[in-house]
Amino acid sequence: SSELTQDPAVSVALGQTVRITCQGDSLRSYYASWYQQKPGQAPVLVIYGKNNRPSGIPDRFSGSSSGNTASLTITGAQAEDEADYYCNSRDSSGNHYVVFGGGTKLTVL
Amino acid sequence: QVQLQESGPGLVKPSQTLSLTCTVSGGSISSGDYYWSWIRQPPGKGLEWIGYIYYSGSTYYNPSLKSRVTISVDTSKNQFSLKLSSVTAADTAVYYCARVEIVERAFDIWGQGTMVTVSS
């Protein structure tokens, strides 16, 4: 099965823009979905598909993809955006599997 | 709106079988647009997909767990369940159930999670 690779930690100054990336062969064929997880809470879907936000997700969250890399961009990061972020996609082997990235810890300075 | 709730024992002995149930409320598990999934997260670590089931009973499992996992569905109760056999301390984790949008494989609704500890 495929693997998705994320940077373990990223930091951003309050109000600035940050990009969190996810790399893997499956991303050449499928879009990534992105999840935000705060301590002690379940993950929350923030981006899916080409660049879709579920209801209630602020528009400062956006997604993009190029080649084998998917990106989650937070434009104007807020203190409440400090969290772990995970990507996932369908497996590239053509079956029904799913794979998650290892997660990125975002710190807002 | 649709909500998911996990239930089951919080402590399981090594070599025994872990059993959890996810109850879906506010919507039907028989919707053809979704899979119903289990995911786990060991303390301090990342998310691991365990598997999912379609309302018809078709199942898909993580290859690394396939030999020990069974996911089943009870449409009459609007529930789906997880059984993980021959557990060890490495299976200690928060277990989440989630709804999965089929096209993008987006996990759009999650339960709150339940901590399961494997210990004698």
Side-chain angles (χ1 to χ4, degrees):
Chain A
S1 61
S2 304
E3 292 186 355
L4 296 178
T5 301
Q6 297 182 242
D7 291 328
V10 171
S11 61
V12 61
L14 185 67
Q16 297 303 300
T17 296
V18 62
R19 178 176 294 180
I20 299 170
T21 61
C22 175
Q23 290 188 303
D25 287 343
S26 62
L27 300 178
R28 296 185 185 278
S29 305
Y30 302 110
Y31 290 115
S33 298
W34 290 93
Y35 307 84
Q36 177 192 72
Q37 186 180 34
K38 297 182 179 179
Q41 298 183 18
V44 173
L45 178 68
V46 295
I47 290 289
Y48 66 99
K50 188 173 183 179
N51 182 19
N52 301 305
R53 281 177 290 106
S55 174
I57 301 302
D59 61 6
R60 63 179 179 270
F61 290 89
S62 63
S64 62
S65 185
S66 178
N68 73 335
T69 301
S71 300
L72 172 70
T73 300
I74 306 175
T75 304
Q78 302 299 302
E80 61 263 32
D81 299 334
E82 184 163 295
D84 294 326
Y85 289 85
Y86 294 90
C87 60
N88 91 283
S89 80
R90 296 176 63 160
D91 185 87
S92 61
S93 60
N95 52 39
H96 293 270
Y97 302 153
V98 159
V99 60
F100 281 94
T104 297
K105 169 64 178 177
L106 175 67
T107 300
V108 179
L109 304 172
Chain B
Q1 76 263 21
V2 176
Q3 293 182 315
L4 284 70
Q5 178 68 57
E6 304 89 351
S7 59
L11 180 64
V12 181
K13 291 181 172 15
S15 79
Q16 294 191 343
T17 296
L18 178 160
S19 296
L20 297 174
T21 296
C22 183
T23 300
V24 180
S25 59
S28 174
I29 203 169
S30 298
S31 167
D33 296 327
Y34 303 101
Y35 289 131
W36 304 91
S37 186
W38 289 97
I39 308 98
R40 69 181 183 179
Q41 185 172 37
K45 296 187 177 181
L47 302 170
E48 180 180 31
W49 174 67
I50 298 172
Y52 43 47
I53 190 165
Y54 194 54
Y55 78 95
S56 62
S58 297
T59 52
Y60 308 95
Y61 301 136
N62 185 324
S64 68
L65 297 170
K66 186 175 182 177
S67 64
R68 298 194 292 131
V69 172
T70 301
I71 297 176
S72 58
V73 65
D74 186 337
T75 55
S76 67
K77 294 182 178 179
N78 230 29
Q79 295 176 334
F80 62 107
S81 298
L82 168 70
K83 290 188 184 299
L84 181 65
S85 65
S86 305
V87 298
T88 69
D91 295 309
T92 293
V94 176
Y95 285 76
Y96 295 100
C97 59
R99 189 179 80 170
V100 186
E101 184 274 336
I102 288 177
V103 174
E104 303 290 353
R105 297 295 197 274
F107 292 65
D108 65 347
I109 300 176
W110 295 65
Q112 65 184 26
T114 187
M115 180 68 199
V116 179
T117 301
V118 178
S119 175
S120 55

